[in-house]
Structures are given as structure tokens and as C-alpha cells.
């Protein structure tokens, strides 16, 4: 159940913080991807480098770190959306009290407010503290919020006194995590999603064609994001060299016409994402044999391909969400809004071809997701922006 799942592990400043290092390992052994957020006092028990190197990712501590990039201080928002489960283990009485009162003065507590996933709190403290009326009240409060609480176990505590307050055994934390994740239904469960990706090739003759440098990365990222949200995804892709996942239905096409024919079978899908860079033109004549060069000028007569997104927009069923892309070199938002209207799409994901670290072959992207009521901007890896954009789209359905 934990395989492929994403866990944000919140570590607070109690002696059991050292056990969180092993807990992280246990989640990884179970196949989960883990990112760690620590309270500043937790870093006095375990160096954040330990968690950073084991998780392979930066550890979030302060909301406003001294040398933060623009995207770092909003990380709690992204992590809160990224995670399938947010586990706070160990959770001190102090952090528990903050959570119970909505205080968000560090990255961990801010992520609690931003989290869209279930939250599992493992309170860990000395027995006397655990029995205090305020802890009792705060535990009740967080459960009323809908957060899960795994009670501590009894035994010898750091104070040398025997009592209730120990971090539960890892098996117990993992089992509870699995149960919580297993009980959530992903928002696109039972939905059919079709994503198109990559370029098309319009052949002139067997060895020459008109195409574009689309890598298919953004389309694939959208398809994987939909799959993570539980959808039954079909990826219709042009000729791409990126590795494609085995566990996804795939249809390989070459030309715009192939793509048009392939997508007609899915016109009733719950969501169609047209991320493919479809050629707007195709040669009127396709030669069966390699064209020999003449002595002077050569001309290729071109005709428009079918605008597939418009075709889909014209017959869009009520239950369908239609998402188009717009790659622009000028007047991005204006052109994208025009495409939204003209093609009757529900959403357009637009980006500047000219933006640094953006566009066709790059691994990163800055995109503007827009519909008739406004727009959002996302930056990051193509996987991150695909996921953020899809989350907004799914929430609006
Ligand atoms: N598209 C399509 N069929 C085409 C051309 C484009 O379905 N023959 C889709 C693309 O997959 C994308 C959207 O239309 O989702 C916008 O593509 P884009 O190339 O930005 O715009 P065009 O409609 O081709 O307009 P222009 O080239 O004039 O900007």
C-alpha cells in the first residue's frame, strides 16, 4: 500500500527525533518517497543533513530561510499538495498545541495548514506531560479537525520513568499509514483520461518530414499526474525518445492525421489533455520514394491539418474536461485566452517558448493555467507543474 506513495515526515524536537531517521528508512523500504520537514528544535536532536541525505531532498525548516529562492517559501503549499500522507513523528506537546490552535510559525506547522492529504500525528512525550489536561484537550481538538492520532506506547521513557509516551513501533506506524492511505479514494478513480504528447511528423517522402522539437516530457508529466490521481490513462504519443512507463496504455502515432483518428475513439473520455505539439500543416502530396533534388528551387505545397482541439471542443460532452496547451512567443495570456475561447476548451496551459528553462526540450517549465475565471502560474520541474496544474483542474470539476 505504501509503494509509490509520497510521505512528508514531520519531525519535532523530542528525543525520539533520532528514531525518525529509522522511520524514514522503513517508509523507503516499503517503497514510499519521503520528504522531511523539521521544527527548528528538532535540528538540535538530529542534524538536518542526516534527513537530507537519506531522503535525497532538502529538508524544510524555516518558512523564510535566509537564502531562500522565490519558490522556497511557498514550499509548504506544494508539499502539502504533493504528499499522500503527512506523518508527524515524533510530535511534541508544543507542536501538538500549535496544530490544535492553527499556529503556523515554522515550515512543519505551516505545512499542516496547507496539507490536502490526511495527517497522522504520533504524540511522543513524557508520561506526565501526556496526561496533562492541555495535551488531552489538544489531542481531542486535532481529532475533531479530522487528523489521525496514533497513541504512544508505554515503557521506559527518556526521563527514566516508566509511562505512556514512547513513539510506537515502526510496524505500527507503517500499518496505520497504510490503513489511512488505503481508505482514501483518489479523485480521478474510475475516470478515463487521455493525454496526447510529443510532436507529429508530416512526411514529405519516406526520409523527410516536417516536425518540431517537442520532447513529450510535459505530456508525459500530465499523464503521470493523472495516473497518480487514480485515473485510467491513455497516452497517445508522437515519436519521442524519452522512456515511457510500462504501466500505462499507450498508442504511438506519427502524423497529425494519425492522432486525429486515434483520439476519435476517446471523444467521450472524462478528460482530454492536448499536450501534443500537433503540426499545423501537412504536405498535400506524400511521395512514395525519396524525392531527388532538382536543379533549381523546390516547392512543397502544404495544407492545414485538422485542429483536433477545436474538433473536440465542438462536440465536448457535458461530463468532459478539455485541456489545451498554448506555446507562444508573444502576448502569452492574450493569445492563450483567445485559444481557450476559439477552441472551446475548459482550460489552457500556456507557456512562453522564449522563457529561460522552459519550453520544448527542457526539464523545467513555467506555465500559466487559465480558464474564463482567471489564471495561476506554476514553476518547477515539468512533473511538479503538471501536478500542480492538474490539482487545480481536478478541484474545479
Ligand atoms: N492543436 C490541435 N490540432 C492542431 C494544432 C494544435 O489539437 N492541428 C492543439 C495543441 O495540441 C494545443 C492547442 O491546439 O493543445 C494549441 O496549439 P498551438 O500550436 O499553441 O496553437 P495553434 O492552434 O496551432 O495556433 P497558432 O500556431 O496559430 O498559435
Amino acid at each position: 500500500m505504501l509503494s509509490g506513495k509520497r510521505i512528508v515526515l514531520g519531525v519535532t524536537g523530542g528525543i525520539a527525533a533520532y528514531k525518525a531517521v529509522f522511520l524514514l528508512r522503513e517508509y523507503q523500504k516499503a517503497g514510499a518517497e519521503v520528504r522531511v520537514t523539521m521544527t527548528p528544535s528538532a535540528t538540535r536532536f538530529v542534524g538536518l543533513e542526516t534527513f537530507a541525505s537519506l531522503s535525497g531532498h532538502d529538508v524544510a525548516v524555516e518558512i523564510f530561510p535566509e537564502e531562500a529562492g522565490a519558490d522556497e517559501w511557498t514550499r509548504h503549499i506544494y508539499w502539502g499538495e504533493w504528499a499522500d500522507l503527512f506523518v508527524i513523528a515524533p510530535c511534541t506537546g508544543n507542536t501538538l498545541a500549535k496544530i490544535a490552535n492553527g499556529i503556523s510559525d515554522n515550515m512543519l506547522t505551516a505545512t499542516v495548514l496547507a496539507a490536502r492529504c490526511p495527517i497522522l500525528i504520533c504524540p511522543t512525550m513524557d508520561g506526565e506531560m501526556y496526561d496533562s489536561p492541555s495535551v488531552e484537550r489538544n489531542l481531542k481538538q486535532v481529532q475533531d479537525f479530522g487528523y489521525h492520532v496514533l497513541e504512544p506506547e508505554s515503557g521506559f521513557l527518556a526521563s527514566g520513568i516508566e509511562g505512556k509516551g514512547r513513539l510506537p513501533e515502526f510496524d505500527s506506524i507503517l500499518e496505520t499509514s497504510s490503513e489511512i492511505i488505503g481508505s482514501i479514494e483518489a479523485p480521478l478513480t474510475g475516470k478515463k483520461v487521455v493525454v496526447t504528447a510529443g510532436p507529429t511528423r508530416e512526411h514529405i517522402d519516406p526520409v523527410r518530414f516536417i516536425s518540431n522539437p517537442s520532447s513529450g516530457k510535459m505530456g508525459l508529466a500530465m499523464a503521470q499526474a493523472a495516473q497518480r490521481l487514480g485515473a485510467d490513462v491513455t497516452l497517445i504519443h508522437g515519436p519521442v525518445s524519452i522512456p515511457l512507463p510500462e504501466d500505462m496504455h499507450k498508442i504511438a502515432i506519427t502524423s497529425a492525421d494519425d492522432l486525429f483518428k486515434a483520439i476519435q475513439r476517446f471523444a467521450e473520455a472524462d478528460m482530454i489533455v492536448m499536450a501534443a505539439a500537433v503540426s499545423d500543416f501537412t504536405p498535400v502530396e506524400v511521395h512514395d520514394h525519396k524525392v531527388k533534388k532538382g536543379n533549381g528551387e523546390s516547392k512543397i505545397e502544404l495544407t492545414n491539418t485538422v485542429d483536433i482541439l477545436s474538433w473536440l471542443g465542438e462536440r465536448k460532452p457535458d461530463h468532459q474536461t478539455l485541456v489545451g496547451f498554448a506555446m507562444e512567443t508573444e502576448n502569452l495570456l492574450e493569445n492563450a485566452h483567445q485559444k481557450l475561447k476559439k477552441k472551446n476548451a475548459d482550460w489552457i496551459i500556456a507557456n512562453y517558448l522564449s522563457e529561460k528553462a522552459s519550453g520544448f526540450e527542457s526539464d523545467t517549465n513555467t506555465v500559466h493555467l487559465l480558464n474564463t475565471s482567471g489564471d495561476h502560474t506554476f514553476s518547477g520541474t515539468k512533473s511538479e507543474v503538471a501536478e500542480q496544474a492538474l490539482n487545480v483542474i481536478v478541484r474545479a470539476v
Side-chain angles (χ1 to χ4, degrees):
M1 185 49 79
L2 293 174
S3 177
K5 299 296 176 194
R6 294 163 166 184
I7 310 257
V8 171
L9 177 60
V11 184
T12 71
I15 180 63
Y18 82 91
K19 293 187 182 171
V21 176
F22 301 97
L23 179 60
L24 180 156
R25 276 306 206 200
E26 293 300 319
Y27 278 125
Q28 287 176 327
K29 276 191 227 156
E33 190 185 342
V34 187
R35 290 189 187 171
V36 179
T37 173
M38 303 171 82
T39 58
S41 55
T43 62
R44 300 179 67 155
F45 289 90
V46 184
L48 56 86
E49 292 79 3
T50 307
F51 285 111
S53 56
L54 291 176
S55 66
H57 212 280
D58 285 349
V59 172
V61 180
E62 303 284 357
I63 299 182
F64 302 106
E66 271 173 24
E67 287 168 27
D71 54 340
E72 270 174 73
W73 63 268
T74 55
R75 194 159 38 176
H76 51 295
I77 306 292
Y78 176 56
W79 283 25
E81 283 193 342
W82 173 87
D84 295 309
L85 179 66
F86 184 12
V87 183
I88 305 168
C91 182
T92 58
N94 185 40
T95 293
L96 175 69
K98 288 182 186 176
I99 296 172
N101 289 285
I103 294 171
S104 52
D105 61 346
N106 57 44
M107 197 53 107
L108 188 153
T109 47
T111 306
V112 170
L113 292 192
R116 300 204 169 258
C117 61
I119 296 176
L120 171 61
I121 297 174
C122 300
T124 310
M125 60 200 84
D126 211 76
E128 304 296 322
M129 294 170 78
Y130 188 71
D131 290 336
S132 74
S134 63
V135 167
E136 192 181 332
R137 185 197 59 193
N138 291 336
L139 283 172
K140 184 172 176 317
Q141 179 63 68
V142 296
Q143 282 170 304
D144 286 348
F145 289 160
Y147 304 159
H148 302 263
V149 172
L150 183 61
E151 282 200 15
E153 288 176 359
S154 300
F156 274 107
L157 303 169
S159 58
I161 302 170
E162 216 178 321
K164 192 172 182 182
R166 285 166 60 93
L167 188 71
E169 294 299 325
F170 299 141
D171 283 354
S172 164
I173 301 177
L174 261 68
E175 200 184 309
T176 308
S177 304
S178 297
E179 278 168 17
I180 296 169
I181 288 178
S183 66
I184 325 162
E185 184 161 278
L188 290 179
T189 302
K191 303 285 180 196
K192 178 84 212 159
V193 174
V194 180
V195 181
T196 69
T200 62
R201 283 181 184 174
E202 309 304 319
H203 272 275
I204 299 162
D205 68 20
V207 295
R208 301 182 182 95
F209 52 80
I210 299 169
S211 191
N212 60 66
S214 169
S215 62
K217 286 178 189 168
M218 191 61 203
L220 175 61
M222 291 297 292
Q224 287 176 313
Q227 203 172 40
R228 280 195 60 77
L229 294 182
D232 171 9
V233 179
T234 298
L235 180 69
I236 306 180
H237 63 90
V240 291
S241 53
I242 52 169
L244 299 175
E246 300 217 329
D247 62 341
M248 189 181 278
H249 309 292
K250 295 177 289 289
I251 299 175
I253 55 94
T254 304
S255 66
D257 191 49
D258 294 342
L259 177 51
F260 181 46
K261 287 189 179 120
I263 208 144
Q264 290 180 39
R265 285 168 40 203
F266 299 98
E268 292 293 316
D270 298 295
M271 186 185 291
I272 299 181
V273 181
M274 281 295 301
V278 187
S279 173
D280 289 327
F281 321 101
T282 192
V284 171
E285 188 184 359
V286 184
H287 298 271
D288 290 339
H289 298 286
K290 187 180 169 201
V291 177
K292 295 290 173 197
K293 64 173 171 283
N295 293 327
E297 284 178 11
S298 298
K299 285 201 176 116
I300 303 169
E301 200 185 335
L302 299 173
T303 181
N304 285 356
T305 55
V306 174
D307 187 323
I308 301 168
L309 184 59
S310 296
W311 186 89
L312 292 165
E314 276 166 27
R315 28 190 78 62
K316 182 162 54 98
D318 286 347
H319 69 273
Q320 186 177 83
T321 303
L322 184 60
V323 185
F325 273 70
M327 280 234 170
E328 306 292 341
T329 53
E330 56 183 354
N331 305 328
L332 180 77
L333 291 181
E334 197 186 313
N335 286 337
H337 272 290
Q338 273 174 17
K339 279 181 192 167
L340 178 80
K341 202 165 160 214
K342 201 169 111 199
K343 303 195 184 207
N344 195 30
D346 297 301
W347 297 89
I348 290 281
I349 299 178
N351 67 305
Y352 267 128
L353 267 174
S354 49
E355 249 166 35
K356 251 201 205 155
S358 223
F360 273 140
E361 283 162 299
S362 158
D363 285 325
T364 54
N365 215 350
T366 294
V367 303
H368 307 266
L369 170 71
L370 53 101
N371 68 357
T372 45
S373 28
D375 53 89
H376 307 254
T377 302
F378 307 112
S379 283
T381 64
K382 285 187 173 170
S383 301
E384 286 167 351
V385 298
E387 200 154 292
Q388 292 175 69
L390 198 64
N391 278 329
V392 172
I393 292 169
V394 168
R395 247 179 268 137
V397 173

